[in-house]
Amino acid sequence: MKLTRKLVLAKAKASDLDSVRKLNCWGCSLSDISIFSQIPNIEVLTLSVNSISSLSPLAECHSLCELYLRRNSIQSLSELCHLRSLSRLKVLWLAENPCCGLEANKYRLTVLRCLPRLQKLDNQVVTEEEISLALAHGEDITTPPSTVQDQLSTNGMADVDTENDPLNYNMEETNKIREQLGMKLLARDKFESLSSPVTKEAKLPFKKTHTLEAVLLLMKDLDGEELQIVHTVAQNRLQMYTVGTETLTDAMKTEKTTDMQH
């Protein structure tokens, strides 16, 4: 699920993103937190018990002091590179993520070597001795390769363009959406055909599938009044489709009858 501007403002009880200082999104099934590139003044952020795998959207949150990420889907400690520039970050809770599978002491020293300004890690106070040990024995963390790949994949396009394009899915993202909707996962060869030079007609079924999935997911963020609008529009379009189909059927029957008479 994507964290939207509307949800942020509702939870923070704020009128605009710039005024958001504290936000609690504990257990909201979030996987996309790209909205934080637009929330530079956030100071205390709770994102525990979600499905977040990338921390890159937090790289510009320079006012961030406390960050709670317990029980997410962060696979590699290299994601912490996105937090290095956050000079005010003093509290981090990262436990129960896949990246914490290292031997406990080694994990802690590696995190502290990357983020030596931390005063508390996983609800335990950081000592000066730990920082010294971390700088001497902690593993060095490098920027995730995926970050460079993501930048290249946009081909110079603005982030807002690629983010708002409902057809801009790779295989992993599309199958994740299909799984959430209870739909059958697509095989890899379906995506290979999309990436190879094919005709517009050949791509159309996949585009329609992506559009349907995008619409169904976006509906989760609508309130009652907005859902009623969607319902009305859908009914009108369905009625037009039904009338058009009936008209075509009648025309075919008429043409068949005429042919038989001749």
Side-chain angles (χ1 to χ4, degrees), residues 85-218:
S85 63
L86 309 185
S87 60
R88 298 185 182 182
L89 184 61
K90 303 302 180 184
V91 177
L92 175 65
W93 199 329
L94 189 65
E96 299 179 71
N97 273 276
C99 64
C100 304
L102 298 172
E103 187 269 324
N105 186 55
K106 184 178 181 180
Y107 149 75
R108 191 170 174 88
L109 292 181
T110 299
V111 173
L112 294 178
R113 172 166 179 164
C114 181
L115 304 172
R117 299 187 187 92
L118 289 180
Q119 296 177 358
K120 183 180 286 189
L121 173 61
D122 296 339
N123 207 33
Q124 294 183 18
V125 174
V126 176
T127 65
E128 293 183 5
E129 181 183 3
E130 278 187 304
I131 297 298
S132 298
L133 287 173
L135 295 176
H137 304 292
E139 291 188 4
D140 191 24
I141 297 175
T142 57
T143 305
S146 59
T147 301
V148 178
Q149 182 61 40
D150 291 343
Q151 292 173 349
L152 293 176
S153 65
T154 61
N155 294 322
M157 294 175 62
D159 290 343
V160 65
D161 293 335
T162 57
E163 178 183 337
N164 292 336
D165 184 359
L167 307 181
N168 187 37
Y169 295 120
N170 59 30
M171 178 178 177
E172 182 181 356
E173 292 170 332
T174 300
N175 275 338
K176 187 179 295 184
I177 293 173
R178 295 180 73 86
E179 184 177 9
Q180 291 176 7
L181 298 175
M183 302 171 69
K184 183 179 179 181
L185 303 186
L186 294 180
R188 180 172 293 278
D189 58 355
K190 300 294 186 182
F191 288 82
E192 291 174 350
S193 64
L194 282 174
S195 59
S196 58
V198 292
T199 63
K200 181 178 179 181
E201 289 74 19
K203 290 185 178 181
L204 187 58
F206 300 112
K207 287 188 175 183
K208 285 187 175 181
T209 300
H210 287 165
T211 303
L212 173 60
E213 293 165 359
V215 169
L216 292 176
L217 284 178
L218 289 172

Side-chain angles (χ1 to χ4, degrees), residues 226-253:
E226 292 167 337
L227 284 171
Q228 184 60 49
I229 295 174
V230 173
H231 177 68
T232 302
V233 172
Q235 277 191 322
N236 292 339
R237 288 187 63 83
L238 184 60
Q239 186 176 10
M240 292 173 60
Y241 176 81
T242 303
V243 171
T245 303
E246 292 176 349
T247 301
L248 178 60
T249 302
D250 292 340
M252 292 175 66
K253 288 181 179 179

